[in-house]
């Protein structure tokens, strides 16, 4: 059929994603419209092939890596479909295809330019409002990887630095169109389709009914992207968000665009030891007025790695010099209604910082767009430095990858989980760096193995940590999803019963489990 390509050397890059794992496939297609998605699914359904749905392939858990069958790559579905302005809430619902990249969405919202389209009156009027207020509105989910696609973000309920204040992707998705493997289409709108207790019934566009039961497990009370979302009387759009493509193919998204704060300041505070940094974190995140929008953590090993890269690699020339005495860093970001409002928040923060052993002289403050960009370069340079180090070591040991945790715990267990990490790493003499979203107690531990023996030790340690995190009431995946690499972690979290309940939900929509197998 037209549009279906046999796999060959021309498409070999589509057998992998950022997890660095590699799969196999029989064929691939690049639909540009919902109708083409339907046609391509029919063609592979006639051949009895499973389908792996791909977007920008920026995920690090192998979710986009195929295990045979067909690849349905949505990266060319980049059209803006329409827009509505909700005056009473001062927000927009922007309808778009799943292949739109986050960076392109941010640019489009900032400029008010969505490309050419045969817009209806509602969209034309909404665009006029957006253009009259260029740069005033934004899409709050803030994954570090801005080349992620919106479909991928929906797939794993992605989040990032600003999730601490604004919440994850789920909170900003109001509409979805979902094509099932069978070719049936579901239209979901937040607030319209609800579960009754743990039971659910949904009707497709053709009137076919899909029913089943929501899993009975209790979701962790922390930021999480592990497994199907489940709660009594839940909004059924949330069943699809975070389902990692196992229920259906998302072909259109209604994303909520909200008013941004007019004043943004960023502060990187450096502390003489980790304990003082943790005291600051726990004090600043409960301030009743002036809560930070983002809180990011960088341990001493992470800062040392960045210092080394800055000395040796010209690519890190934009990163600010980090004095040797700066042991642990905490980045906080404040959004205010005015410059005076934000300045007051920063003054409050400075008093708390001093009370926790911090020093104003060991602090970087950014209040302009140029200064904020420099701090963003600093924050994002750590994972880049890790990837470069691992790529260098892979020249000697091709099987090596970094081992990165994605776990989060309740507020009361922050010190416990950091102690757990430190003790395990020291006991096994493993090199590592720690950084990440400390406001949500979500620290990425990147184990940096030098050999396959250390890699194996690190994987075993990671599994041990998962047991402890679950016992603390935490999650095994706070933002990256489970993919194909962390299925063992999901069973630790929800048990065999929970896994079977998830499979039953999937079979309700996808009886042969032919979408995203594995």
């Amino acid at each position: 059929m037209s549009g279906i390509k046999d796999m060959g050397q021309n498409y070999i890059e589509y057998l992998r994603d950022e997890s660095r794992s590699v799969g196999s496939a029989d064929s691939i297609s690049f639909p540009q419209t919902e109708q083409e998605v339907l046609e391509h699914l029919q063609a592979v359904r006639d051949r009895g092939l499973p389908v792996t749905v791909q977007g920008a392939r920026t995920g690090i858990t192998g979710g986009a890596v195929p295990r045979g069958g067909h690849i349905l790559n949505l990266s060319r579905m980049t059209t803006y479909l329409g827009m509505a302005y909700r005056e009473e809430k001062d927000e927009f619902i922007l309808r778009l295809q799943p292949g739109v990249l986050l960076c392109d969405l941010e640019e489009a919202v900032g400029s008010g330019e969505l490309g050419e389209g045969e817009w209806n009156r509602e969209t034309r009027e909404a665009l006029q409002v957006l253009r009259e207020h260029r740069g005033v509105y934004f899409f709050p989910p803030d994954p570090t990887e801005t080349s992620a696609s919106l479909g991928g973000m929906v797939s794993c309920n992605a989040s990032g630095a600003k999730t601490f204040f604004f919440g994850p992707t789920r909170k900003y998705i109001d509409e979805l169109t979902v094509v099932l493997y069978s070719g049936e289409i579901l239209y979901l709108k937040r607030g319209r389709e609800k579960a009754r207790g743990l039971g659910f019934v949904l009707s497709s566009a053709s009137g076919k009914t899909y029913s089943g039961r929501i899993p009975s497990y209790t979701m962790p009370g922390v930021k999480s992207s592990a497994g199907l979302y489940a709660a009594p009387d839940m909004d059924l759009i949330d069943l699809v968000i975070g389902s990692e493509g196992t229920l259906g193919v998302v072909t259109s998204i209604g994303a909520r665009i909200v008013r941004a704060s007019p004043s943004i300041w960023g502060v990187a505070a450096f502390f003489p030891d980790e304990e003082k940094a943790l005291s600051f974190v726990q004090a600043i995140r409960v301030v009743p007025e002036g809560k930070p929008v983002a809180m990011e953590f960088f341990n001493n090993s992470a800062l040392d790695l960045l210092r080394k890269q800055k000395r040796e690699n010209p690519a890190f020339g934009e990163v600010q010099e980090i004095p040797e005495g700066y042991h642990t860093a905490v980045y906080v970001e404040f959004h205010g209604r005015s410059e005076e409002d934000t300045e007051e928040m920063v003054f409050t923060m400075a008093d708390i910082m001093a009370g926790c052993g911090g020093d104003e002289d060991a602090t970087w403050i950014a209040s302009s767009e140029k200064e904020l960009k420099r701090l963003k370069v600093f924050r994002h340079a750590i994972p880049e430095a890790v990837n470069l180090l691992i790529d260098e070591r892979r020249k000697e040991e091709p099987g090596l990858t970094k081992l990165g945790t994605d776990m989060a715990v309740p507020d009361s267990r922050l010190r416990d989980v950091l102690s757990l990490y430190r003790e395990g790493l020291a006991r096994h003499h493993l090199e590592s760096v720690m950084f990440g979203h400390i406001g949500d107690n979500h620290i990425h531990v990147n184990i940096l193995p030098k050999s396959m023996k250390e890699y194996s030790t690190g994987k075993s340690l990671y599994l041990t940590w998962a047991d402890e995190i679950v016992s603390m009431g935490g999650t095994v995946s706070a933002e990256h999803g489970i993919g194909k690499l962390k299925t063992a972690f999901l069973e630790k979290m929800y048990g065999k019963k929970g896994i079977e309940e998830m499979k039953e939900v999937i079979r309700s929509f996808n009886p042969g489990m032919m979408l995203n197998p594995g």
Side-chain angles (χ1 to χ4, degrees):
M1 174 196 161
S2 175
I4 304 291
K5 313 287 187 182
D6 290 333
M7 291 302 295
Q9 288 300 311
N10 289 341
Y11 303 108
I12 197 166
E13 65 181 288
Y14 296 99
L15 299 178
R16 59 172 65 90
D17 65 8
E18 283 299 310
S19 69
R20 306 296 206 271
S21 54
V22 181
S24 64
D26 302 298
S27 56
I28 188 169
S29 64
F30 299 89
Q32 295 183 333
T33 65
E34 184 177 285
Q35 183 58 38
E36 289 182 359
V37 169
L38 289 164
E39 292 170 0
H40 296 181
L41 282 177
Q42 180 178 339
V44 297
R45 194 166 61 243
D46 290 345
R47 296 164 60 189
L49 294 177
V51 174
T52 296
V53 185
Q54 291 182 345
R57 296 180 295 116
T58 59
I60 62 173
T61 62
V65 177
R67 292 186 176 177
H70 182 75
I71 297 171
L72 191 70
N73 185 287
L74 308 183
S75 61
R76 298 179 189 176
M77 295 185 70
T78 57
T79 301
Y80 294 93
L81 304 171
M83 175 186 277
Y85 177 56
R86 295 174 172 175
E87 187 173 3
E88 72 282 1
K89 295 184 177 180
D90 191 20
E91 64 185 24
F92 298 85
I93 298 298
L94 178 56
R95 301 179 185 94
L96 57 138
Q97 289 184 314
V100 172
L101 303 184
L102 175 61
C103 54
D104 293 337
L105 171 63
E106 290 173 342
E107 182 178 344
V109 171
S111 66
E113 300 303 324
L114 306 183
E116 297 299 322
E118 295 182 8
W119 307 124
N120 60 21
R121 180 178 176 181
E122 179 184 54
T123 296
R124 290 197 304 271
E125 291 177 349
L127 268 173
Q128 183 62 30
V129 175
L130 187 64
R131 287 168 178 166
E132 288 172 358
H133 300 85
R134 284 182 174 87
V136 173
Y137 297 88
F138 80 125
F139 183 57
D142 184 37
T144 301
E145 184 50 78
T146 60
S147 63
S149 68
L150 265 290
M153 291 175 61
V154 168
S155 176
C156 66
N157 187 34
S159 58
K162 295 185 180 72
T163 298
F164 174 61
F165 184 87
F166 289 109
T169 297
R170 169 174 285 113
K171 187 175 176 182
Y172 299 92
I173 303 300
D174 273 31
E175 301 171 7
L176 290 176
T177 303
V178 184
V179 174
L180 305 184
Y181 183 81
S182 64
E184 294 286 333
I185 302 174
L186 301 177
Y187 296 108
L188 302 175
K189 187 177 179 65
R190 187 166 296 283
R192 188 175 65 194
E193 294 87 12
K194 295 270 194 174
R196 291 190 175 183
L198 293 179
F200 70 84
V201 179
L202 281 172
S203 295
S204 71
S206 72
K208 185 172 181 179
T209 299
Y210 297 85
S211 61
R213 286 187 62 77
I214 304 294
S216 62
Y217 50 70
T218 301
M219 299 292 292
V222 299
K223 167 185 171 185
S224 181
S225 64
L228 296 181
Y229 186 84
D233 305 314
M234 64 181 278
D235 202 314
L236 291 174
I237 195 172
D238 288 326
L239 200 57
V240 175
I241 300 168
S243 65
E244 300 194 53
T246 57
L247 302 183
V249 182
V250 172
T251 56
S252 75
I253 298 165
R256 195 156 60 90
I257 311 300
V258 303
R259 183 176 281 268
S261 298
S263 173
I264 299 174
W265 286 34
V267 180
F270 295 88
F271 293 85
D273 58 59
E274 189 173 291
E275 180 56 34
K276 290 182 175 62
L278 294 181
S279 295
F280 171 71
V281 167
Q282 292 186 312
I284 195 70
R285 68 180 169 195
V286 296
V287 175
E289 295 294 332
K291 178 181 176 180
V293 165
M295 296 184 68
E296 301 288 289
F297 170 84
F298 309 90
N299 80 340
N300 189 239
S301 298
L303 297 184
D304 279 346
L305 177 60
L306 202 49
R307 291 183 183 104
K308 181 175 186 294
Q309 288 291 357
K310 183 167 176 62
R311 286 194 303 268
E312 301 175 1
N313 191 334
F316 288 78
E318 284 191 69
V319 178
Q320 292 174 250
E321 290 285 349
I322 307 170
E324 292 295 331
Y326 290 10
H327 184 279
T328 305
V330 178
Y331 172 81
V332 288
E333 186 171 301
F334 297 94
H335 292 196
R337 293 166 298 215
S338 65
E339 287 295 311
E340 293 77 13
D341 186 33
T342 317
E343 188 175 13
E344 186 63 33
M345 295 180 193
V346 173
F347 283 149
T348 300
M349 180 227 68
D351 289 340
I352 293 171
M353 181 183 70
C356 294
D359 182 355
E360 286 188 25
D361 292 333
T363 303
W364 300 340
I365 297 180
S367 58
S368 69
E369 187 173 342
K370 182 179 179 180
E371 292 167 341
L372 284 165
K373 185 177 179 181
R374 290 187 72 192
L375 282 189
K376 189 171 184 177
V377 167
F378 160 69
R379 289 157 50 210
H380 290 184
I382 304 279
E384 291 173 17
V386 168
N387 290 338
L388 281 174
L389 178 64
I390 291 296
D391 286 344
E392 191 64 30
R393 290 179 180 177
R394 280 166 62 90
K395 294 176 183 177
E396 298 292 328
E397 289 273 12
L400 286 182
T401 65
K402 71 179 179 184
L403 291 165
T405 70
D406 183 34
M407 300 184 276
V409 296
D411 289 355
S412 62
R413 306 308 296 268
L414 174 59
R415 278 185 165 83
D416 295 334
V417 78
L418 285 171
S419 295
L420 175 73
Y421 292 152
R422 285 194 300 268
E423 185 278 328
L425 294 164
R427 177 160 38 90
H428 294 288
H429 307 288
L430 293 170
E431 184 181 355
S432 71
V433 300
M434 296 189 209
F435 61 92
H437 317 306
I438 199 165
D440 291 305
N441 313 296
H442 173 207
I443 303 297
H444 298 302
V445 182
N446 280 191
I447 299 173
L448 311 175
K450 301 183 184 72
S451 65
M452 291 310 296
K453 181 180 179 182
E454 286 191 357
Y455 180 79
S456 179
T457 300
K459 285 188 73 173
S460 298
L461 181 61
Y462 197 167
L463 281 167
T464 301
W465 285 342
D467 285 325
E468 294 289 338
I469 267 71
V470 169
S471 72
M472 292 178 187
T475 179
V476 297
S477 178
E479 67 181 0
H480 293 150
I482 296 298
K484 296 181 175 74
L485 301 184
K486 296 186 178 181
T487 52
F489 292 84
L490 195 62
E491 186 169 328
K492 287 177 177 289
M493 190 165 167
Y494 295 126
K496 292 184 184 298
K497 179 184 176 184
I499 298 294
E500 287 305 314
E501 288 179 331
M502 280 187 251
K503 287 181 179 178
E504 284 304 308
V505 173
I506 293 169
R507 291 189 189 104
S508 297
F509 300 97
N510 174 18
M513 301 186 74
M514 299 293 275
L515 288 174
N516 283 22

